Amino acid sequence: MLENSAQIVDALRIRLAVNSDSAVAAALGITHGAISHWRAGRFAMSPELAVKAAELLGVEPGPLILVCLAETERQPTLAALYRQLADRLGKGARRGRKAAAALVAL
């Protein structure tokens, strides 16, 4: 599971087959500086950008939104809850895709 904005950027680099954060920034419609801030841990991706990243990655947006919310949450208990929910949603989405693939195979 992706755990922070920087890991989402790394996944986008792989998915988009690009070798720079600038290319990811262009795909998201933001500046390279924003990604630099995410990598340094100064800021996190917004939920709106998490939705756009999910579209580019071809995944459900819920887990990415929760990861980004966890990153900015100041209450450790709530941050942990967001991460737990992101993990559960991610696992549920994978199970759903497997079930759909099995149905198609039938």
Side-chain angles (χ1 to χ4, degrees):
M1 182 187 89
L2 302 172
E3 296 185 13
N4 56 46
S5 297
Q7 288 183 1
I8 294 170
V9 170
D10 291 339
L12 284 166
R13 285 176 73 160
I14 293 167
R15 175 69 175 192
L16 299 172
V18 297
N19 59 4
S20 72
D21 287 350
S22 294
V24 173
L28 291 173
I30 59 172
T31 65
H32 176 268
I35 292 180
S36 295
H37 287 297
W38 300 341
R39 289 209 179 273
R42 289 189 289 270
F43 295 105
M45 185 180 288
S46 70
E48 294 82 11
L49 283 174
V51 170
K52 190 164 187 175
E55 289 171 1
L56 292 169
L57 290 169
V59 299
E60 292 294 321
L64 296 188
I65 292 169
L66 288 165
V67 163
C68 294
L69 290 174
E71 239 183 313
T72 59
E73 181 55 55
R74 294 178 192 264
Q75 286 272 5
T77 306
L78 283 177
L81 176 62
Y82 289 146
R83 285 189 175 87
Q84 182 182 25
L85 288 171
D87 187 48
R88 285 186 182 173
L89 276 177
K91 287 178 182 173
R94 285 189 293 275
R95 274 191 233 113
R97 284 193 299 273
K98 287 179 185 175
L103 286 173
V104 168
L106 292 175

